Amino acid sequence: MQSLIQIEAGDRRLLAGIAEAVAEVSRRSGDWLVCRPGCIECCKAPFAITQLDALRLREGLRTLSVADPARAERVRRRAAEYVAAIAPDYPGDPATGMLREQDAFSEAMDDVPCPALDTETGCCELYAARPITCRTFGPVMWTREGSLGACELCYGGATDEEKIQCAVDIDPEGLETELLAGLDALGLRGMTIVAFALAAAITHPA
C-alpha cells in the first residue's frame, strides 16, 4: 500500500508530465490557443474533482495560509459562501461534499466564480495546487473516452484534422489512476468539488 507521502511524490511526477504535455500541445496549437491570464470563462460553475485534486488543494491552502494569511482567509470565506449557496441543490452529500452524480449541478451556479479565483485580477489564488481539469482545459486533448476536448473559445477555424494534429494524451502511463487507487486504499475515495475540498481545509486545518 502506498503511503500518503508516496502518493504526494507521485502527484508531483504526474503534474510535471502534464506540464510537458500542455507545453507541447500549446506549441502545436499556436494562435489557435487563446487562453490567457484573466480569461475566466472556465473558472465558473462547479465541476467534479478527484480526491487527489482535493488533497493538493488543501495543501495549497495551507501553504497560502503561511505565505499570505489575508489571501488565504479570502479563499476560505469564498469557499464557505460557495458551499452554503450550493448545498440545497447539491447532487451529493452536503455534509461531506461527496458527489453522487458528477454532472447534475444546478444551473443557478453556472456563473458563480470558483472560490479559488480572485475576480479582481482574473487569476487563481491556488494556481500551483489547481485541479488537473484546470491544468488541461483549453488546449485540445484526448479524453478518456477517446474523443477530443477543447475550450470552445479556442481553435476558431481549425478543422478536425488540424485539431487531431495538435492533440496529446496528458497521462499515457495512467499514473493518475494508480495514485487514485492508492488514495482509495487509504479510505480517500469518491469525487467532490473545489469549494468542498477547501471547506474541508477549514474544518480540518492540521
Side-chain angles (χ1 to χ4, degrees):
M1 179 186 298
Q2 294 187 80
S3 69
L4 199 55
I5 292 176
Q6 290 173 319
I7 291 172
E8 289 173 339
D11 186 46
R12 289 191 289 273
R13 294 195 303 274
L14 172 64
L15 298 184
I18 289 174
E20 290 181 2
V22 171
E24 174 59 21
V25 72
S26 298
R27 183 192 66 78
R28 297 182 190 181
S29 300
D31 292 340
W32 283 323
L33 188 60
V34 299
C35 300
R36 297 290 184 274
C39 179
I40 62 171
E41 288 305 305
C42 61
C43 303
K44 301 175 183 178
F47 60 93
I49 64 170
T50 67
Q51 289 301 316
L52 188 62
D53 290 326
L55 183 69
R56 189 186 317 112
L57 280 167
R58 288 193 289 269
E59 181 57 33
L61 184 55
R62 282 193 288 269
T63 300
L64 184 61
S65 296
V66 175
D68 194 331
R71 285 177 61 200
E73 180 55 33
R74 289 195 294 270
V75 173
R76 291 188 182 97
R77 183 176 64 251
R78 292 195 298 263
E81 292 170 351
Y82 199 110
V83 165
I86 201 172
D89 300 309
Y90 191 63
D93 187 337
T96 65
M98 292 299 98
L99 285 167
R100 287 190 297 269
E101 301 177 70
Q102 296 182 23
D103 57 358
F105 299 106
S106 169
E107 292 182 359
M109 299 297 290
D110 281 356
D111 294 322
V112 179
C114 172
L117 178 70
D118 181 342
T119 55
E120 293 185 3
T121 64
C123 296
C124 179
E125 303 264 31
L126 299 173
Y127 189 77
R130 67 197 187 282
I132 289 176
T133 295
C134 304
R135 295 167 189 267
T136 59
F137 188 80
V140 63
M141 300 282 183
W142 289 110
T143 69
R144 289 189 178 90
E145 294 75 29
S147 60
L148 291 175
C151 174
E152 62 183 11
L153 301 179
C154 299
Y155 300 95
T159 65
D160 288 343
E161 290 75 17
E162 288 170 326
K163 291 178 183 178
I164 288 173
Q165 291 176 0
C166 294
V168 298
D169 186 336
I170 62 167
D171 183 19
E173 297 181 359
L175 181 55
E176 183 187 18
T177 299
E178 177 185 330
L179 295 172
L180 289 174
L183 286 177
D184 186 273
L186 294 174
L188 296 173
R189 57 180 66 93
M191 305 288 280
T192 186
I193 63 172
V194 171
F196 272 107
L198 297 176
I202 301 169
T203 307
H204 307 289

